[in-house]
């Protein structure tokens, strides 16, 4: 994300709207291997955080009005069977 924000703001570029979303399906139940759990949580939880960390300081520094929207899917609130890793 840092590399992307560097490219966006290179040569005076601006970001007025950041649609921040990260999500992969991992599925799994109570016996899902921990490496699979960590991969899903790492991307789904920390992906938007990394986006904010990479863009917010540069957006503020630009002095322009900006908006960040962090989204998730309905899958995260419906909790289908055998998909608890995604819904953590």
């Amino acid at each position: 994300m840092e590399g992307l924000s560097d490219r966006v703001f290179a040569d005076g570029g601006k970001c007025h709207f950041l649609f921040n979303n990260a999500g992969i399906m991992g599925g799994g139940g109570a016996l899902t291997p921990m490496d699979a759990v960590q991969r899903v949580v790492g991307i789904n939880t920390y992906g938007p955080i990394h986006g904010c960390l990479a863009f917010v300081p540069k957006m503020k520094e630009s002095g322009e009005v900006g908006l960040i929207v962090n989204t998730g899917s309905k899958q995260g609130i419906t909790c289908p069977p055998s998909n608890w890793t995604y819904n953590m």
Side-chain angles (χ1 to χ4, degrees):
M1 292 300 293
E2 199 63 47
L4 177 61
S5 71
D6 289 343
R7 288 191 302 271
V8 168
F9 287 93
D11 300 321
K14 307 247 189 274
C15 177
H16 294 103
F17 184 80
L18 177 64
F19 186 82
N20 208 3
N21 185 32
I24 60 168
M25 296 297 291
L31 299 178
T32 301
M34 196 50 126
D35 62 330
V37 172
Q38 290 172 335
R39 181 173 183 266
V40 172
V41 172
I43 291 171
N44 294 358
T45 301
Y46 292 105
I49 293 170
H50 289 301
C52 288
L53 291 173
F55 276 84
V56 168
K58 293 173 184 164
M59 290 172 78
K60 287 177 68 175
E61 185 178 300
S62 76
E64 299 280 330
V65 174
L67 175 70
I68 297 174
V69 176
N70 293 315
T71 63
S73 72
K74 72 149 187 79
Q75 195 78 351
I77 59 172
T78 58
C79 202
S82 298
N83 203 21
W84 72 271
T85 305
Y86 184 84
N87 296 314
M88 290 175 63

